[in-house]
Amino acid sequence: NAGVTQTPKFQVLKTGQSMTLQCAQDMNHEYMSWYRQDPGMGLRLIHYSVGAGITDQGEVPNGYNVSRSTTEDFPLRLLSAAPSQTSVYFCASSYGAGGPGETQYFGPGTRLLVL
Amino acid sequence: AQKITQTQPGMFVQEKEAVTLDCTYDTSDPSYGLFWYKQPSSGEMIFLIYQGSYDQQNATEGRYSLNFQKARKSANLVISASQLGDSAMYFCAMREGRGTGRRALTFGSGTRLQVQP
């Protein structure tokens, strides 16, 4: 059981470039989400998905796209990178049954620097 | 208004002593969940403990316990017998809106705990 995996671990982009951050989980969790963490702050929700084919926006969705074609994968696309998107990105998943089953488990994070 | 407030940016504790990290929350939803996560310097987010709004007992997980005071809307994390490896950033988080299917977490700004030998 690998849990939640994210690739790449580190990425440097130039302003205007696009890229996809990969996230996968092997726990058959229905709920997946993307957060960003800026220095000295807690995490903020970008997008989330309650199941394959269903996605919705979080608190800070601008500049990001997501899709969920399978239960396992939830990629995050940066359409045109900006320096304000320099951050650490975390993917998380949960079974979502309520109670302790709703606990979200996080991937190791992707550190993104936009120059 | 802040949904999750952690008023202690930094805390020091001596090894083997207990420490309480404060967390207050704001919600009008009767059904919610409260979580604590640990983030060591390596950066990963480690789940520590969960408390549901309808749970009658305070949650405990090993050396971690959650002092849940519903009327005061507080969910403080208590770490007993601190160890050097407990030095990390600690985040309190809340999930609201179970009925909508949205299970997003709202995080506080965190408390940095340093355990001194």
Side-chain angles (χ1 to χ4, degrees):
Chain A
N1 229 354
V4 181
T5 58
Q6 291 183 237
T7 55
K9 286 191 170 64
F10 304 96
Q11 185 70 47
V12 179
L13 288 179
K14 294 181 180 176
T15 297
Q17 287 184 317
S18 62
M19 79 160 295
T20 299
L21 279 62
Q22 301 291 345
C23 174
Q25 51 90 11
D26 61 359
M27 298 175 281
N28 203 32
H29 284 172
E30 61 178 16
Y31 184 87
M32 296 185 75
S33 52
W34 277 101
Y35 294 84
R36 61 177 286 174
Q37 183 180 28
D38 298 318
M41 296 179 66
L43 280 66
R44 292 183 294 167
L45 181 70
I46 304 171
H47 285 286
Y48 68 99
S49 169
V50 300
I54 306 169
T55 63
D56 205 348
Q57 296 181 350
E59 181 186 352
V60 287
N62 292 341
Y64 308 96
N65 268 356
V66 292
S67 60
R68 182 110 179 259
S69 56
T70 67
T71 300
E72 294 78 20
D73 300 298
F74 190 43
L76 178 73
R77 296 183 193 83
L78 277 70
L79 309 172
S80 177
S84 60
Q85 294 179 304
T86 293
S87 190
V88 180
Y89 291 84
F90 288 97
C91 179
S93 74
S94 69
Y95 179 62
E102 67 186 12
T103 297
Q104 292 193 30
Y105 294 93
F106 285 81
T110 294
R111 293 184 177 273
L112 177 67
L113 173 62
V114 183
L115 301 174
Chain B
Q2 293 276 0
K3 284 190 175 280
I4 296 285
T5 302
Q6 294 181 253
T7 57
Q8 307 153 312
M11 291 278 287
F12 289 91
V13 66
Q14 291 293 121
E15 198 177 4
K16 300 180 186 174
E17 292 186 349
V19 63
T20 298
L21 306 184
D22 294 341
C23 173
T24 58
Y25 59 93
D26 182 25
T27 181
S28 57
D29 191 334
S31 173
Y32 52 90
L34 296 158
F35 304 80
W36 278 91
Y37 286 86
K38 172 184 179 182
Q39 187 176 43
S41 57
S42 51
E44 70 268 33
M45 295 290 289
I46 302 168
F47 165 70
L48 296 178
I49 198 165
Y50 164 87
Q51 180 86 43
S53 57
Y54 295 117
D55 293 343
Q56 296 294 319
Q57 307 262 17
N58 285 344
T60 60
E61 289 285 350
R63 293 186 299 110
Y64 304 108
S65 61
L66 201 151
N67 184 359
F68 182 46
Q69 297 188 42
K70 195 169 181 177
R72 297 178 63 181
K73 295 189 174 178
S74 75
N76 299 339
L77 178 70
V78 181
I79 305 175
S80 63
S82 297
Q83 301 172 355
L84 295 177
D86 293 334
S87 293
M89 196 76 168
Y90 289 81
F91 290 99
C92 179
M94 176 172 65
R95 187 277 306 148
E96 301 172 278
R98 180 190 292 182
T100 67
R102 178 187 172 104
R103 301 183 196 105
L105 294 177
T106 301
F107 283 82
S109 54
T111 295
R112 182 167 299 283
L113 177 66
Q114 294 188 54
V115 181
Q116 297 176 319

